[in-house]
Amino acid sequence: MQHPRDIFHATQVSAPLPVCDHYCGVESLMVKSLALQAEMSAEFGACVFDVTLDCEDGAAIGDEKNHANRVVALVNQSQIATKNVAADKAPRIAIRVHPVDHPAFKQDVDIIVGGAATGLCHLMIPKVETRFDVDQAAHWVDQAAARSGRRDPLPLHVLLESAAAVHHAFEIAAHPRVQSISFGLMDFVSSHGGAIPASAMGVDADPNGHSLDQFTHPLVRRAKLEISAACHAHGKVPAHCVVTEFRDPALLRSAARQAARAFGYTRMWSIHPAQIRPILLAFAPAAQEIELAANIMQAGGQSDWAPISFEGKLHDRASYRYFWQVLQRAFQTGCVLPPSADAYFSDSVPTPRD
């Protein structure tokens, strides 16, 4: 029987990435975040979230060069400390550089990609406005990566933060070097010159929804949906924006569930360690959906993926593909998998979450 990952693929299916991307820019917090990633990798048996070290907002003005060197040292130290771990448990570390039109961009790329390219899972490019910005970024990144000895192209994640950028979302998503697109909520709101209220930067805790928040303001909703649709059209990963109310776990869980289930996002930013586990839980499939997916995949596999009737419903390769994605997401978020589904991931099975 062929493995599902070998047959259920299409250009419109996003490449699997951890569902949480954790951002930090202060050195002490970067060190703690990398340590937490290692701890949770040991707990789950796989790396379940990315750590993105931030040069754009993390570097003080005038200290960009020193900050870039600091993050390179952290990446290389992490690689040395974990050089003997299995590939699925290896640290996933990314870096957000300055925008392509910032004076520090080329310096960032030369230092970071030139000094730590082999240790990076991707590079985040902020404030991308057009496909041409991606072309420029890829040009400089590829030159630095070649000098560093990296053989495979370094994936690029991009951050769209303005109405003009959202207008070009489909063109940007079509770029072959773009792996994921994130939505920059706070810059998007502030770029409208006061036309969008400050409440749209947050999440409304009022059950009656008296204020327009990031899930109800029409312009913000439209931007989120455009980015999500563009990513799914071109097989890229849509990453949802931050929730700034990091001291309210219930609010975060609600926001993450909306992002995943109503807006089609398959990944989300974390800006505080306390947000990581709630994001994993929110993006994980329900236990009943995992069980159904496992049963349908088992029955389909036994029929060599021909159409079947299961509990009175027709299933063929279209629904097999969907339920295979459910199992992949369950695996990525450390869920308990039934034995029949567990076998699909026998080469790297994570420890189930309680």
Side-chain angles (χ1 to χ4, degrees):
M1 182 182 70
Q2 285 185 288
H3 196 287
R5 64 172 166 244
D6 297 328
I7 54 176
F8 299 126
H9 57 82
T11 56
Q12 289 80 18
V13 177
S14 301
L17 290 175
V19 299
C20 181
D21 189 6
H22 179 63
Y23 276 73
C24 47
V26 178
E27 185 170 10
S28 60
L29 298 179
M30 291 191 287
V31 171
K32 290 179 181 178
S33 297
L34 291 171
L36 179 61
Q37 186 187 63
E39 291 171 11
M40 291 183 65
S41 292
E43 174 188 347
F44 286 94
C47 188
V48 292
F49 70 94
D50 289 353
V51 172
T52 298
L53 309 179
D54 191 6
C55 285
E56 184 190 20
D57 291 338
I61 295 175
D63 193 44
E64 292 87 355
K65 183 176 182 179
N66 290 332
H67 193 78
N69 281 310
R70 280 192 289 270
V71 298
V72 166
L74 289 172
V75 173
N76 290 333
Q77 289 166 14
S78 180
Q79 291 297 311
I80 292 171
T82 58
K83 64 180 180 179
N84 293 321
V85 302
D88 57 310
K89 296 182 184 179
R92 285 185 52 89
I93 307 172
I95 296 176
R96 176 165 70 166
V97 297
H98 286 83
V100 292
D101 60 354
H102 192 280
F105 170 74
K106 293 178 183 178
Q107 175 180 266
D108 278 353
V109 171
D110 286 342
I111 293 173
I112 292 164
V113 180
T118 58
L120 298 176
C121 58
H122 65 267
L123 205 67
M124 167 58 78
I125 313 296
K127 294 181 172 58
V128 166
E129 293 286 308
T130 66
R131 185 183 172 102
F132 178 69
D133 290 340
V134 183
D135 287 334
Q136 284 189 299
H139 172 74
W140 287 103
V141 168
D142 288 348
Q143 284 193 336
R147 292 194 297 269
S148 75
R150 182 176 178 122
R151 295 181 179 178
D152 57 315
L154 180 61
L156 300 181
H157 292 199
V158 301
L159 184 56
L160 307 191
E161 306 177 63
S162 72
V166 172
H167 177 71
H168 295 291
F170 278 80
E171 297 171 16
I172 293 169
H175 198 291
R177 291 299 302 281
V178 171
Q179 186 181 56
S180 174
I181 298 180
S182 295
F183 176 50
L185 169 68
M186 300 178 76
D187 279 284
F188 179 85
V189 171
S190 62
S191 72
H192 283 73
I196 300 177
S199 62
M201 294 186 188
V203 180
D204 188 7
D206 183 354
N208 296 315
H210 288 152
S211 64
L212 290 171
D213 70 357
Q214 63 166 287
F215 291 102
T216 57
H217 192 284
L219 288 176
V220 178
R221 284 177 59 90
R222 176 180 175 275
K224 289 186 180 185
L225 292 170
E226 281 290 297
I227 290 172
S228 177
C231 285
H232 289 298
H234 293 286
K236 309 302 171 67
V237 177
H240 194 263
C241 58
V242 300
V243 169
T244 57
E245 299 89 343
F246 59 84
R247 296 190 183 278
D248 191 332
L251 206 63
L252 173 67
R253 287 194 295 271
S254 174
R257 283 195 296 269
Q258 288 189 75
R261 288 159 174 72
F263 288 78
Y265 282 79
T266 57
R267 182 170 161 96
M268 184 170 178
W269 284 33
S270 159
I271 54 170
H272 190 280
Q275 294 184 323
I276 295 172
R277 289 179 186 271
I279 289 173
L280 292 177
L281 285 166
F283 277 77
Q288 301 92 320
E289 190 175 16
I290 296 171
E291 182 178 6
L292 176 63
N295 290 338
I296 290 174
M297 293 300 290
Q298 183 178 32
Q302 290 171 346
S303 299
D304 292 324
W305 309 115
I308 62 168
S309 173
F310 185 85
E311 295 182 349
K313 294 182 180 180
L314 171 69
H315 290 282
D316 58 15
R317 294 200 178 193
S319 55
Y320 295 152
R321 180 183 296 114
Y322 171 83
F323 288 110
W324 169 236
Q325 292 162 7
V326 169
L327 295 181
Q328 286 182 306
R329 192 165 71 252
F331 174 76
Q332 290 174 308
T333 50
C335 294
V336 175
L337 293 174
S340 61
D342 188 67
Y344 293 133
F345 306 96
S346 58
D347 51 345
S348 55
V349 179
T351 302
R353 178 180 61 221
D354 291 335

